[in-house]
Amino acid sequence: MFTTRPTLHGTFGMAATTHWLASQSAMAVLEDGGNAFDAAVAAGFVLHVVEPHLNGPAGEVPVILAPADGPVRVLCGQGPAPAGATVAHYTSLGLDLVPGTGPLAAAVPGAFDAWMLLLRDHGTKSLAEVLRYAIGYAEQGHPAVERIGETVETVRTLFETEWTSSAELYLRGGRAVRPGELLTNRPLAATWRRLLTEAAAASADREAQIEAARRIWREGFIGEALADFAARPAMDTSGEPHAGTLTGDDLTAYTATYEDPVTHDWHGWTVAKAGGWTQGPVFLQQLALLPEELPAYGSPEYVHLLIEGSKLAMADREAWYGDAADVPLATLLGDDYNTARRALIGDRASYALRPGSPEGRNPRLSKHALAVATGTGGSAAAGLLAGGAGEPTMARGLNTAAHGRAEPPAVAPEVDRDGTTRGDTCHIDIVDRWGNLVSATPSGGWLQSNPVVPGLGFPLGTRLQMAWLEEGLPNSLTPGRRPRTTLTPSLALRDGVPVMAFGTPGGDQQDQWQLHFFLAVALRPQVRGGLDLQGAIDAPNWHHDSFPGSFFPRVMRPGGVTVESRIGDAVIDGLRRRGHDVTVGGAWSEGRLCAVARDPRTGVLSAAANPRGMQGYAVGR
């Protein structure tokens, strides 16, 4: 079949990321004798520099890793809600949703500590060796991709009038960087150089230096600057300036953690995901809902089946997933439960949000979710229910009301009606010659979501917008608990052996796009004796919006499906006949997948990356 690029094959090492500079930096680490985990850390810090509109050091990153000599593990780099982030505090401010921007939306930063643990426990290189690529691009500059300047322009007025520290970095000379112009971030380079100097002064030992860096992030000059800036009021999507709840004590108390993955077996494959504090198990539920015999790949019946199964899985996400309660994953992934749920899939598109009742428990949706699901408007509705795909909010500046009060910044639509989605996240997949596999999805700390912290060169994150301002829900805003994240890297095993790492940016769409990719790999012929990774990435993709989005203002489009035009008239017409509200997007508008794989029989490695967005690349040899 036609592909935009070949699937790469080799035996030394492979890296696939959402930006070519991160991919090549990872490959440079492999060439220098580093392993996949060293390479992932180097790539992660490069992505903070070259995709600042998509991620930053104070964001978050879940990682799934498969060491060649150990079990598959999840490394959680999602920070929790600060001690002061209570529902009562936010509602006392007159809020019914956590703002989509500003300090109030900041969780405890998780990405940096996760990268440090990955390097300490599984890497071989020093901190200086993996940071040098990011420092170089921040100090000397990198050719800016189109979306950086475009993103800055959407928040120009906000930067100029309110977030002036961001304007100093991203509106130099009064204008945003143009595509291809060199963009530097010298404050960030200086931050990492000072970190390295202080860590080296603490010890000459590799692991001790990494531990010193972790302390500096929490308690040293970085932690002090983060806590100080979080306490300063800043304008957010509520239209009012608010201070955050993050404190130095929150930073000091946090550490990234390891945990076991959640898995599901399907036709000889085992897919491993992070737990119910992410949307990751949605992928597994979609697999569990598939019938034994599938319709022809790519047919209208096939696409309809996947969309309707995804609706049921995403409805369960809304009712049951979160870190503020135990998630009944064993039941949600069980045969009996999914057999009953599968019977709900008919020949017509469902427009209802239908969570199930695992273990006989009544599902409960938030007031806001119930309101958007039933079309009753705001979050005043309440109740029990037996039965929108989002990207991060970008505040587009401030409108001045007649009385001089700042109105809420205009919110960009989460998914445009032409099918175009805003990128919000990055992704990294790496495999090395020793058989180590790693998949990571760094995000948060976007330049458009919080002011740049003066002297550091990066902003805080906004992941708390995922949590509900209502008590008693699995995803209620709760101090010390993680807001449910959309970030969801994947790792697949074949007959119990890790063989493939993959993932994508895309907010709520991530586990929809990844399922389509995985099934394309599993159901289609191999190429060159290996998995057809590039063919599966290039295949026409789609997503639906029949659930409340995870990002402010958390909207829903019941029955809404967006497809790439390349999917063809037969599928488009077939979906419409079945009642789907179909939007035909651009030919290459859905997904930003990356993937790497290893054949355990031969040791042959492979990799592929998404052509959509024109900046993801795979490299290897």
Side-chain angles (χ1 to χ4, degrees):
M1 66 165 291
F2 168 80
T3 61
T4 57
R5 310 163 182 173
T7 296
L8 303 184
H9 293 278
T11 57
F12 180 81
M14 295 281 166
T17 82
T18 48
H19 195 291
W20 61 85
L21 293 178
S23 298
Q24 192 54 55
S25 297
M27 196 65 201
V29 173
L30 296 178
E31 296 283 5
D32 194 41
N35 65 20
F37 310 115
D38 296 312
V41 176
F45 279 94
V46 169
L47 287 174
H48 297 333
V49 177
V50 301
E51 293 190 327
H53 57 310
L54 306 180
N55 79 133
E60 44 276 330
V61 58
V63 182
I64 299 185
L65 56 147
D69 58 354
V72 176
R73 297 285 279 165
V74 170
L75 174 55
C76 172
Q78 172 60 67
T86 64
V87 170
H89 173 66
Y90 285 67
T91 56
S92 73
L93 299 173
L95 301 171
D96 57 6
L97 289 176
V98 177
T101 63
L104 263 184
V108 180
F112 181 87
D113 202 58
W115 291 131
M116 292 300 99
L117 285 191
L118 185 63
L119 182 65
R120 184 196 71 184
D121 298 339
H122 299 281
T124 63
K125 292 292 188 180
S126 70
L127 184 57
E129 288 175 307
V130 297
L131 277 179
R132 67 189 181 98
Y133 306 92
I135 292 173
Y137 288 125
E139 208 163 53
Q140 304 302 320
H142 58 93
V145 295
E146 289 85 349
R147 285 289 188 180
I148 296 177
E150 291 173 3
T151 300
V152 172
E153 286 298 339
T154 67
V155 287
R156 166 182 287 278
T157 304
L158 181 67
F159 279 16
E160 291 175 334
T161 60
E162 297 285 343
W163 296 4
T164 54
S165 59
S166 298
E168 291 173 5
L169 189 58
Y170 291 109
L171 284 172
R172 297 170 194 167
R175 68 172 182 86
V177 66
R178 297 190 177 102
E181 287 185 336
L182 286 181
L183 176 63
T184 61
N185 188 339
R186 293 195 174 95
L188 179 59
T191 295
W192 296 147
R193 287 198 180 282
R194 181 176 172 184
L195 176 81
L196 291 176
T197 298
E198 293 187 11
S203 175
D205 177 73
R206 187 188 84 94
E207 291 190 13
Q209 286 184 2
I210 295 170
E211 285 301 304
R214 297 177 71 202
R215 289 192 299 273
I216 294 164
W217 176 272
R218 294 190 188 107
E219 307 167 18
F221 76 96
I222 296 176
E224 290 174 355
L226 291 174
D228 176 70
F229 201 70
R232 303 182 192 179
M235 186 63 67
D236 58 41
T237 50
S238 73
E240 300 284 351
H242 292 109
T245 58
L246 180 70
T247 68
D249 289 341
D250 296 312
L251 290 164
T252 300
Y254 175 73
T255 180
T257 55
Y258 291 99
E259 59 188 51
D260 293 328
V262 180
T263 62
H264 183 73
D265 297 331
W266 186 83
H267 290 229
W269 292 84
T270 300
V271 180
K273 302 288 285 188
W277 53 273
T278 74
Q279 71 173 0
V282 162
F283 183 109
L284 308 182
Q285 282 197 251
Q286 291 176 103
L287 280 181
L289 283 162
L290 294 175
E292 189 63 27
E293 296 293 329
L294 294 177
Y297 175 85
S299 65
E301 295 80 10
Y302 176 86
V303 178
H304 170 77
L305 174 69
L306 265 60
I307 291 170
E308 293 304 299
S310 180
K311 289 177 183 178
L312 295 174
M314 294 300 276
D316 277 342
R317 184 196 77 165
E318 286 309 301
W320 300 109
Y321 287 26
D323 197 34
D326 291 331
V327 183
L329 286 176
T331 302
L332 291 171
L333 297 175
D335 291 340
D336 291 344
Y337 180 79
N338 285 287
T339 297
R341 296 283 279 162
R342 193 179 305 121
L344 297 175
I345 300 176
D347 294 332
R348 299 287 298 173
S350 170
Y351 278 51
L353 190 65
R354 300 181 290 176
S357 301
E359 303 164 6
R361 296 156 58 185
N362 287 326
R364 182 185 173 197
L365 296 176
S366 71
K367 295 176 182 178
H368 180 90
L370 182 59
V372 298
T374 57
T376 56
S379 52
L384 297 175
L385 193 68
E391 303 288 341
T393 299
M394 292 194 292
R396 288 187 165 176
L398 300 173
N399 304 310
T400 304
H403 301 291
R405 180 179 177 274
E407 293 182 344
V411 176
E414 293 171 331
V415 181
D416 296 335
R417 289 294 292 184
D418 67 356
T420 302
T421 57
R422 297 194 307 274
D424 71 314
T425 298
C426 309
H427 189 75
I428 300 166
D429 295 308
I430 301 177
V431 60
D432 63 29
R433 63 189 183 275
W434 299 289
N436 299 301
L437 275 162
V438 60
S439 181
T441 310
S443 186
W446 310 294
L447 68 86
Q448 67 272 25
S449 59
N450 245 319
V452 168
V453 180
L456 295 186
F458 59 86
L460 288 164
T462 55
R463 193 60 58 172
L464 289 188
Q465 67 180 293
M466 304 278 177
W468 295 114
L469 295 183
E470 184 178 346
E471 302 285 6
L473 300 171
N475 193 30
S476 297
L477 181 65
T478 307
R481 295 288 185 170
R482 297 164 288 193
R484 188 190 69 216
T485 182
T486 54
L487 306 176
T488 172
S490 301
L491 198 139
L493 301 87
R494 189 72 172 158
D495 299 320
V497 179
V499 297
M500 183 169 66
F502 59 100
T504 181
D508 293 308
Q509 291 99 338
Q510 289 180 35
D511 281 308
Q512 298 185 57
W513 290 335
Q514 288 186 69
L515 178 73
H516 314 159
F517 162 81
F518 172 76
L519 291 176
V521 169
L523 297 174
R524 293 163 68 183
Q526 295 187 333
V527 294
R528 298 183 192 170
L531 301 176
D532 182 16
L533 302 182
Q534 194 65 52
I537 287 174
D538 288 354
N541 219 321
W542 62 89
H543 78 268
H544 73 92
D545 307 315
S546 291
F547 52 88
S550 294
F551 295 92
F552 183 95
R554 312 200 70 165
V555 298
M556 174 176 170
R557 184 181 156 215
V561 176
T562 302
V563 301
E564 290 182 328
S565 59
R566 295 181 297 121
I567 206 168
D569 291 342
V571 173
I572 293 168
D573 293 343
L575 292 175
R576 284 175 172 160
R577 284 196 304 271
R578 289 167 174 80
H580 297 278
D581 179 11
V582 179
T583 294
V584 180
W588 298 90
S589 56
E590 293 284 313
R592 287 178 64 209
L593 282 143
C594 301
V596 300
R598 179 179 184 271
D599 187 332
R601 299 166 301 172
T602 63
V604 171
L605 312 177
S606 55
N610 182 54
R612 303 164 179 88
M614 304 297 288
Q615 64 196 64
Y617 272 88
V619 297
R621 68 172 179 87

